[in-house]
Amino acid sequence: MKILVPVKRVVDYNVKVRVKPDQTGVDLANVKMSMNPFCEIAVEEAIRMKEKGLAEEIVVISIGPAGAQETIRTALAMGADRGIHVTTDAAVEPLAVAKILEKVVGEEKPDIVLLGKQAIDDDTNATGQMLAALLGWPQGTFASKVEKADGSLKVTREVDGGLQTVAIALPAIVTTDLRLNEPRYASLPNIMKAKRKPIDAKTPEDYGVDLSPRLEVLKVAEPPKRQGGVKVESVSELVSKLKNEAGVL
Amino acid sequence: MSVLVIAEHDNKTLNEATRAAVTAAKKFGGDIHILVAGQDARAVADAAAKLDNVSKVMLAESEPLGHKMAEALESLVLSVAGSYDAILAPASTVGKNFMPRVAAKLDVMIISDITAVESADTFVRPIYAGNAMMTVKSSDKVKVITVRPTTFEKAGDGGSANVETISAPDAVATSSFVSEELSKSDRPELGAAKIVISGGRGMGNGENFSMLEKIADKLGAAVGASRAAVDAGFVPNDYQVGQTGKVVAPELYIAVGISGAIQHLAGMKDSKVIVAINKDEEAPIFSVADYGLVADLFKAVPELEEELGKAGY
Ligand SMILES: Cc1cc2nc3c(=O)[nH]c(=O)nc-3n(C[C@H](O)[C@H](O)[C@H](O)COP(=O)(O)OP(=O)(O)OC[C@H]3O[C@@H](n4cnc5c(N)ncnc54)[C@H](O)[C@@H]3O)c2cc1C
Ligand SMILES: Nc1ncnc2c1ncn2[C@@H]1O[C@H](COP(=O)(O)O)[C@@H](O)[C@H]1O
């Protein structure tokens, strides 16, 4: 079995981004970048499947600027086998990402595409589902458990009411939720080894996909600021304030 | 102009989030139709028919639709999509699951989790865990949108639309429902509760959440949690409030033993009044709390229960 894992380079989750004063976007200058946490979980899950003998090869792909190569290297150091870097400086919307991935799936013929459920920069939560639709594949999104059965996967999904388990025939799309696993850190020897693993350099033109955005960004603004309030000294003061001042009790 | 809203429900009752989506739909101007996809969901369709400004309800029923299978929902929605300028669904785990499939098939970009409709093609949505609000203008022929329920008023019950039954597409062979494990609770649903009390890692273990449950039962509140509390196994996954969990905006949010990471704030900072109980006075949660109590929760929470008792709860 072969697994394709799309990974996105995003602003590190510990960074509180700032909106640019001219409201054209957020300030990304000198900001720490990392692999999207949900993609790390996807890479980890693929490696575990390989370690269990369920998969033979893990290919990671990232669509993004030069720096995305670092993210691919991180995945290779964790244990993926080879990488594909589709280099572009443009902001690529999930629809276009899914269209490139559709082409890559056509070439690579993976049995599973394992994605993060959500990129923590755009917070769209759509690429895996869009790819599934373009390919006509079934999907198991927001996965907290993935088990392989004969020719299919049993995916336990985190849903609003609790958990739902679905069976999906391969080839299939899986997107990861937080509780699926805890990603490993790459060891130093593996980081060294990853330097020799191959990364295919590609461009969007290689796939003939139109990347022009469908959503024009008119403005990126600060959310309304919330002022911190007061400290209360005791529980009784708290209850009295909630009752008499805030009027919520 | 006509807009299709896909109802959120559990096959028995119409979920309140649908009302928010109808309010968002109203901002487009034009006809509003509702699609109820489920199984034995007639009561939901009847409830949807009463919603303000709704002129038609379509009901489609099948086993996969009853389980909200994304593949089935995709083909159903595509079968009726043709005549609509916009298709809206609440940004629930159901909406997030199938709506991007619909968008991809229509060759349009999904617009996720909108918090405002500026006009029929311009919308506001949060990015970076709500640390920035992005206004986007869509050039697509059909707008496929998920709606953040907490930021739109709930549509009322002033309508009387007809319910029309439509046929459900054949089940796809490649996906099937296996089982579900739903949290059972008599408390209100997190997304709809007027008061939410959430616990974090500071709660120490799952048993200690009973302290919060007692208060929740007094106040008619829902119980939520931080990711750390869910990851530690204190409470089930559906309790998680935050960027990648549920977004809530109750009248009163009480955060107990929660530090206030940006990912948590993303899910609750639009609450009307925020209370934080934390023993660390430097905890970032205090920067958004209207009322902060620096205290050991194991002392403060039982006291809170007692004080509420005194106050008649
Ligand atoms: C991709 C990603 C997505 C995420 N999504 C979410 C999300 O949706 N929701 C979410 O909540 N988090 C999310 N997180 C996690 C987030 O970054 C934090 O790790 C998490 O919110 C911390 O939970 P906590 O506040 O309970 O724990 P901690 O940060 O450990 O805080 C515990 C707090 O309890 C206090 N405390 C301890 N003992 C007591 C006591 N006896 N009395 C009073 N106070 C006490 C401490 O002072 C501390 O402030 C996400 C992280 C990532 C990377
Ligand atoms: N530019 C990209 N390159 C590679 N993978 C991506 C890219 N954008 C999104 N993805 C994948 O799609 C998932 C969901 O992203 P999104 O739909 O943007 O929230 C991510 O976790 C990645 O697995």
Side-chain angles (χ1 to χ4, degrees):
Chain A
M1 225 175 47
K2 183 164 165 182
I3 306 178
L4 180 71
V5 186
V7 295
K8 188 175 187 190
R9 181 177 173 80
V10 298
V11 170
D12 187 84
Y13 79 96
N14 279 310
V15 174
K16 188 172 184 296
V17 296
R18 295 206 184 285
V19 169
K20 287 191 202 158
D22 66 0
Q23 298 199 322
T24 55
V26 301
D27 196 352
L28 296 180
N30 303 316
V31 164
K32 182 177 178 207
M33 305 292 285
S34 301
M35 190 190 302
N36 181 42
F38 289 100
C39 301
E40 278 187 318
I41 296 171
V43 173
E44 175 66 32
E45 194 64 16
I47 296 169
R48 290 187 189 188
M49 288 179 130
K50 190 176 170 191
E51 287 170 347
K52 281 191 216 145
L54 299 174
E56 288 82 49
E57 193 185 20
I58 302 166
V59 182
V60 293
I61 174 166
S62 192
I63 298 150
Q69 191 170 343
E70 234 178 88
T71 308
I72 297 172
R73 286 277 172 224
T74 305
L76 297 177
M78 287 172 74
D81 297 298
R82 61 186 173 86
I84 302 171
H85 181 195
V86 184
T87 310
T88 171
D89 286 325
V92 190
E93 290 174 346
L95 177 65
V97 171
K99 286 181 177 179
I100 293 176
L101 294 177
E102 182 191 12
K103 293 278 166 63
V104 174
V105 165
E107 288 173 5
E108 294 283 342
K109 309 216 168 9
D111 302 278
I112 302 174
V113 186
L114 242 168
L115 308 89
K117 83 161 178 185
Q118 180 171 339
I120 60 162
D121 50 2
D122 63 41
D123 282 334
T124 307
N125 190 335
T127 306
Q129 299 89 312
M130 291 186 129
L131 176 62
L134 295 177
L135 292 166
W137 288 9
Q139 69 189 36
T141 54
F142 326 149
S144 63
K145 192 166 166 199
V146 179
E147 293 163 291
K148 176 131 192 312
D150 233 5
S152 70
L153 295 176
K154 224 167 94 182
V155 180
T156 302
R157 312 178 50 238
E158 296 203 354
V159 295
D160 285 340
L163 297 170
Q164 183 194 50
T165 304
V166 296
I168 50 178
L170 295 173
I173 302 288
V174 174
T175 77
T176 63
D177 216 318
L178 294 169
R179 258 76 56 184
L180 184 56
N181 61 49
E182 229 176 279
R184 69 194 65 193
Y185 291 102
S187 67
L188 196 57
N190 285 344
I191 293 173
M192 299 311 290
K193 256 203 287 188
K195 295 202 168 126
R196 293 192 301 271
K197 292 184 180 175
I199 298 180
D200 243 359
K202 296 279 191 185
T203 63
E205 293 72 44
D206 293 335
Y207 300 101
V209 171
D210 177 11
L211 298 187
S212 27
R214 308 297 185 81
L215 302 180
E216 182 195 348
V217 178
L218 300 184
K219 171 169 107 175
V220 175
E222 291 266 354
K225 271 262 175 314
R226 200 166 174 120
Q227 295 300 331
V230 297
K231 290 258 169 61
V232 293
E233 293 304 320
S234 68
V235 172
S236 59
E237 185 189 346
L238 174 65
V239 171
S240 130
K241 284 226 152 79
L242 289 177
K243 238 180 132 159
N244 304 320
E245 191 176 277
V248 287
L249 280 185
Chain B
M1 172 75 63
S2 58
V3 182
L4 178 66
V5 174
I6 293 129
E8 177 84 18
H9 63 87
D10 60 0
N11 294 311
K12 293 189 203 76
T13 33
L14 183 73
N15 188 297
E16 292 290 298
T18 313
R19 296 178 184 273
V22 167
T23 301
K26 198 177 155 217
K27 303 219 149 84
F28 285 79
D31 274 356
I32 302 176
H33 296 174
I34 297 199
L35 174 61
V36 175
Q39 192 177 28
D40 300 326
R42 183 79 210 187
V44 177
D46 290 340
K50 294 204 189 79
L51 292 175
D52 290 343
N53 302 104
V54 169
S55 59
K56 181 167 113 181
V57 173
M58 289 174 282
L59 171 64
E61 295 178 292
S62 73
E63 192 266 346
L65 291 175
H67 293 300
K68 313 288 149 51
M69 299 298 287
E71 299 80 4
L73 282 162
E74 174 204 317
S75 30
L76 173 66
V77 175
L78 289 173
S79 75
V80 298
S83 52
Y84 295 100
D85 302 285
I87 304 174
L88 275 60
S92 63
T93 50
V94 175
K96 289 173 186 170
N97 197 32
F98 80 90
M99 288 290 271
R101 291 188 74 114
V102 170
K105 275 297 177 64
L106 295 172
D107 192 26
V108 305
M109 178 54 198
I110 180 99
I111 312 168
S112 295
D113 214 12
I114 63 161
T115 55
V117 177
E118 307 259 281
S119 71
D121 64 7
T122 303
F123 312 94
V124 181
R125 57 178 302 268
I127 52 174
Y128 291 96
N131 285 309
M133 304 302 288
M134 179 165 79
T135 305
V136 292
K137 182 173 173 182
S138 165
S139 58
D140 282 321
K141 54 191 187 302
V142 189
K143 321 298 181 216
V144 177
I145 294 171
T146 57
V147 176
R148 178 174 284 203
T150 51
T151 57
F152 293 89
E153 301 273 314
K154 307 277 184 285
D157 280 324
S160 59
N162 281 330
V163 178
E164 185 182 295
T165 307
I166 63 169
S167 61
D170 293 336
V172 291
T174 52
S175 79
S176 59
F177 170 82
V178 176
S179 62
E180 65 191 357
E181 222 179 287
L182 301 183
S183 298
K184 281 198 193 62
S185 164
D186 297 330
R187 287 181 211 106
E189 199 203 327
L190 250 182
K194 292 223 156 36
I195 302 179
V196 173
I197 181 162
S198 290
R201 201 198 305 270
M203 295 303 296
N205 60 41
E207 286 80 67
N208 290 335
F209 263 78
S210 66
M211 297 194 298
L212 305 187
E213 285 161 7
K214 281 188 203 144
I215 291 177
D217 291 339
K218 275 194 156 59
L219 297 175
V223 179
S226 71
R227 172 192 174 182
V230 176
D231 283 5
F234 300 173
V235 286
N237 61 281
D238 52 301
Y239 281 46
Q240 183 178 311
V241 170
Q243 178 188 17
T244 59
K246 287 191 179 130
V247 176
V248 301
E251 298 277 298
L252 173 60
Y253 187 88
I254 309 175
V256 183
I258 292 178
S259 61
I262 45 179
Q263 292 85 6
H264 188 77
L265 301 185
M268 44 67 78
K269 69 180 163 58
D270 293 332
S271 304
K272 189 164 156 245
V273 173
I274 297 174
V275 168
I277 302 177
N278 196 304
K279 67 177 180 190
D280 172 12
E281 63 176 320
E282 304 287 323
I285 190 78
F286 288 123
S287 68
V288 299
D290 299 280
Y291 301 104
L293 178 64
V294 181
D296 187 327
L297 71 92
F298 293 102
K299 194 167 154 283
V301 175
E303 249 178 73
L304 178 59
E305 195 198 336
E306 203 184 301
E307 287 291 332
L308 288 171
K310 280 194 223 159
Y313 285 95

